[in-house]
Amino acid sequence: MLNSYKIIIAYDGTDYFGWQRQKDRPSIAQTLQDVFYTVFNKSIVLRGVSRTDAGVHALGQVAIFSVVMNIDPKVMIHAWNNRLSAEIVIRSIERIPSDFSLHGNVVTKTYWYHFFLERPLPTTQRFGWFFRYPVDLEKLQQCLNVFLGTHDFRSFCSGDERGDDTIRRIDAVSIEYVEKYNAYRIAIVGPKFLRYMIRRMSGACIEVASRKDLDVGLLKQVLEAKNPEHLLPNAPAKGLVLYEVEYKS
């Protein structure tokens, strides 16, 4: 009997070339699939809700798969996790209906972007961008607020998108200081995002907030230009974390 499952995964993406399978390069999805085969002697194909890029991390990546096997999720998660390397942990497994919509049932996704204003400790440096210049945090919040609401984000994506599918909605943006890591966390919430969108937004905002010769109006101009060929920086992948995906109940 074919059974379908939803899993939530956390991973340190530093040594992986993203979520999607890569030819001759390690990826998160391929590693999970290979280990599943090793443990259960069954092949699966994982579909992830977000195709995180090389070096990007996750605390709440969601994936689904189907397999001709009937096994209790508690047994499955224990056996599967026991064979995974320390960089990947399956946080939960549950059975789902065969018609479960991985993307259509999403209410919001929350991404975090971490940056340091002081040289980070070796234990945390791989999870954030060390920005070597002072940042006006009040101005940074003003910069982020530019993106609230529904806009055409063509200026803040990979540039490979075609057609009119670059319109997205941002529901919330915030900044907080995380004392435990001596890091600053940008949180961005919305139903879906374009490739590089969070990193390009974060990099542009941090750059503008660090320079007295640039003001918030520049971001509005770049957004309205709908042209990804601008000089504001793309923040490094190491600071980005897919924190949580909220689904309809």
Side-chain angles (χ1 to χ4, degrees):
M1 179 180 176
L2 189 67
N3 289 290
S4 297
Y5 298 88
K6 182 181 83 168
I7 66 175
I8 298 177
I9 317 112
Y11 48 85
D12 173 353
T14 304
D15 298 324
Y16 292 86
F17 289 83
W19 168 262
Q20 290 288 94
R21 184 175 183 269
Q22 303 285 327
K23 185 178 180 180
D24 301 325
R25 290 177 170 182
S27 72
I28 301 295
Q30 190 63 50
T31 299
L32 285 160
Q33 291 170 181
D34 290 347
V35 172
F36 189 93
Y37 184 82
T38 299
V39 175
F40 301 107
N41 198 30
K42 296 282 187 181
S43 295
I44 61 169
V45 175
L46 283 170
R47 293 195 294 125
V49 72
S50 178
R51 298 180 180 182
T52 55
D53 291 313
V56 175
H57 318 291
L59 290 173
Q61 170 71 291
V62 178
I64 61 174
F65 67 96
S66 297
V67 63
V68 181
M69 184 175 71
N70 188 13
I71 183 170
D72 186 282
K74 291 181 180 179
V75 175
M76 183 187 291
I77 193 172
H78 179 75
W80 201 350
N81 269 333
N82 275 350
R83 296 299 294 271
L84 287 167
S85 61
E87 297 84 13
I88 305 174
V89 173
I90 301 166
R91 300 180 64 184
S92 68
I93 300 179
E94 63 178 297
R95 285 192 174 95
I96 55 172
S98 59
D99 61 351
F100 177 85
S101 177
L102 179 65
H103 299 285
N105 287 335
V106 171
V107 177
T108 60
K109 295 179 182 178
T110 300
Y111 280 91
W112 288 346
Y113 193 87
H114 295 112
F115 64 97
F116 306 100
L117 295 180
E118 296 178 4
R119 186 177 177 87
L121 293 172
T123 52
T124 58
Q125 62 82 25
R126 62 197 286 157
F127 302 109
W129 178 20
F130 175 32
F131 194 79
R132 289 173 167 79
Y133 304 97
V135 173
D136 182 333
L137 297 176
E138 183 177 345
K139 185 178 178 183
L140 178 56
Q141 182 66 65
Q142 294 171 2
C143 290
L144 291 166
N145 289 345
V146 168
F147 301 106
L148 280 170
T150 301
H151 306 279
D152 188 333
F153 283 90
R154 186 171 296 277
S155 295
F156 292 92
C157 62
S158 68
D160 297 327
E161 289 75 9
R162 299 180 182 275
D164 298 323
D165 192 27
T166 51
I167 296 175
R168 295 292 186 270
R169 187 185 82 234
I170 301 296
D171 296 328
V173 290
S174 62
I175 311 163
E176 67 173 313
Y177 174 64
V178 185
E179 184 176 5
K180 182 178 180 181
Y181 305 113
N182 193 24
Y184 291 89
R185 174 182 296 157
I186 297 171
I188 301 178
V189 182
K192 59 180 181 177
F193 299 91
L194 298 162
R195 189 178 187 193
Y196 299 159
M197 181 174 160
I198 303 294
R199 289 169 54 198
R200 295 203 73 176
M201 288 168 53
S202 299
C205 288
I206 291 170
E207 177 74 7
V208 171
S210 71
R211 293 176 54 177
K212 294 182 179 179
D213 61 325
L214 300 179
D215 62 28
V216 177
L218 173 63
L219 290 169
K220 297 178 182 178
Q221 294 172 15
V222 172
L223 182 64
E224 292 169 0
K226 303 175 187 176
N227 181 2
E229 300 296 326
H230 57 81
L231 298 179
L232 293 172
N234 184 13
K238 66 191 295 185
L240 186 59
V241 181
L242 172 57
Y243 169 62
E244 184 179 49
V245 181
E246 181 184 351
Y247 280 86
K248 298 174 185 176
S249 58

